[in-house]
Amino acid sequence: MKLRLAHLSDIHFGGENKDAVAAAGERLRTGGFDLTIVSGDLTRYAEIPEFQAATAWLAEAPEPKLVTPGNHDAPYLAWAERIFAPFRRYERLVGPAPWQSWRSGGVAVRGINTARGAQPRLNWSKGQISMRQARAAADWFEPGDTLRIVVVHHPLIEMIGGPMTARVWGGETAAELFCEARVDLVLSGHIHAPFTWPYPHGDGRTYAVGAGTLSVRERGVPPGYNEVEVEDGCIRVTALAWTGSTYEPYRTWALDRRAQA
């Protein structure tokens, strides 16, 4: 198996790094990717013009694409809408919010919405995944899926030393369930910094992979995104950083794949 994925997150249209976003779009069009994934926070405040800018940029990216929402894609200023219909704008202008999927040639990708418009805690921007969501995703995979990927916005388990927390309710349980389901990658964003690490469950071959941001809201890391290359025995993740004129490798990880039955 050979596969190339582009994994972007936290573009935050309305507060995007315009040059970095334009250059990323050009790389998507010329990079020969098998799939482009955006793991949430397309917008800054979920305003209509921000969604319009996001959809115009996405329209120029080659198919196929899988896009899942983030907490910034629920209106920040329209309180009633955020509580009662948090992803109405997203679904009207971008696509389905609860879950998304893509399957081709033994590769299966399932997107899950871990964002909420309101929660019974002060910081509603933190993540949440229910057992129902996690179980539905795990059960969706088929025996013939030789590469299994879950896409969420919030990291299910905290990044050690990260610039901010996700504090995902249900995250630990979902991570363990995805290990049992032999998921290979759980892609996320939210913290604006790239990372990889294996979940501490099962055979140690289910990896959390986070992408950085393409916005001006940097948290100690330059704007950037990830390119993922998968071969039979290895998953190589390259975090690219925008220098102001070009993208250059920022960090690279080689992750061992589990043996295929």
Side-chain angles (χ1 to χ4, degrees):
M1 170 184 288
K2 289 190 177 181
L3 181 77
R4 279 175 54 78
L5 304 173
H7 172 207
L8 305 91
S9 197
D10 298 80
I11 304 174
H12 290 295
F13 279 95
E16 77 275 24
N17 184 312
K18 295 183 183 299
D19 291 341
V21 170
E26 181 62 24
R27 288 183 70 99
L28 294 182
R29 290 186 287 273
T30 61
F33 296 102
D34 297 287
L35 177 67
T36 296
I37 294 170
V38 183
S39 56
D41 278 4
L42 273 74
T43 65
R44 179 177 54 177
Y45 296 129
E47 296 294 318
I48 297 298
E50 296 171 359
F51 276 122
Q52 291 171 335
T55 54
W57 183 84
L58 286 169
E60 294 185 355
E63 294 290 347
K65 299 182 282 276
L66 186 144
V67 184
T68 194
N71 53 281
H72 276 265
D73 298 320
Y76 265 50
L77 304 178
W79 291 84
E81 186 176 353
R82 192 179 85 199
I83 293 171
F84 296 108
F87 298 103
R88 180 169 57 192
R89 299 181 187 185
Y90 178 94
E91 292 200 304
R92 179 161 59 89
L93 295 166
V94 180
W99 62 275
Q100 313 78 32
S101 64
W102 181 83
R103 177 180 277 120
S104 178
V107 181
V109 186
R110 174 85 172 203
I112 306 170
N113 186 6
T114 58
R116 301 291 187 269
Q119 297 183 59
R121 54 176 165 174
L122 288 177
N123 193 340
W124 61 273
S125 71
K126 301 300 184 182
Q128 186 175 150
I129 183 169
S130 69
M131 192 62 183
R132 178 184 56 82
Q133 286 179 296
R135 175 59 66 187
D139 291 346
W140 174 80
F141 292 105
E142 299 177 351
D145 296 332
T146 56
L147 182 73
R148 303 180 179 195
I149 300 174
V150 168
V151 181
V152 292
H153 178 62
H154 300 82
L156 301 181
I157 298 177
E158 299 297 343
M159 174 188 176
I160 299 172
M164 65 178 294
T165 60
R167 293 178 183 164
V168 177
W169 283 355
E172 288 275 358
T173 301
E176 188 169 3
L177 181 60
F178 293 149
C179 292
E180 294 173 1
R182 297 176 66 83
V183 170
D184 297 281
L185 300 174
V186 180
L187 307 183
S188 65
H190 187 62
I191 64 173
H192 293 201
F195 64 85
T196 71
W197 72 80
Y199 283 153
H201 306 291
D203 61 4
R205 294 293 186 269
T206 298
Y207 299 96
V209 177
T213 181
L214 288 175
S215 76
V216 297
R217 299 181 66 195
E218 299 173 25
R219 296 192 177 106
V221 179
Y225 73 100
N226 292 346
E227 294 183 355
V228 182
E229 297 180 331
V230 182
E231 294 184 343
D232 289 339
C234 181
I235 301 170
R236 186 173 298 276
V237 179
T238 302
L240 296 172
W242 177 245
T243 67
S245 60
T246 188
Y247 279 102
E248 294 183 356
Y250 178 74
R251 288 199 64 181
T252 300
W253 298 269
L255 312 176
D256 292 334
R257 289 189 67 192
R258 64 170 53 88
Q260 302 300 305

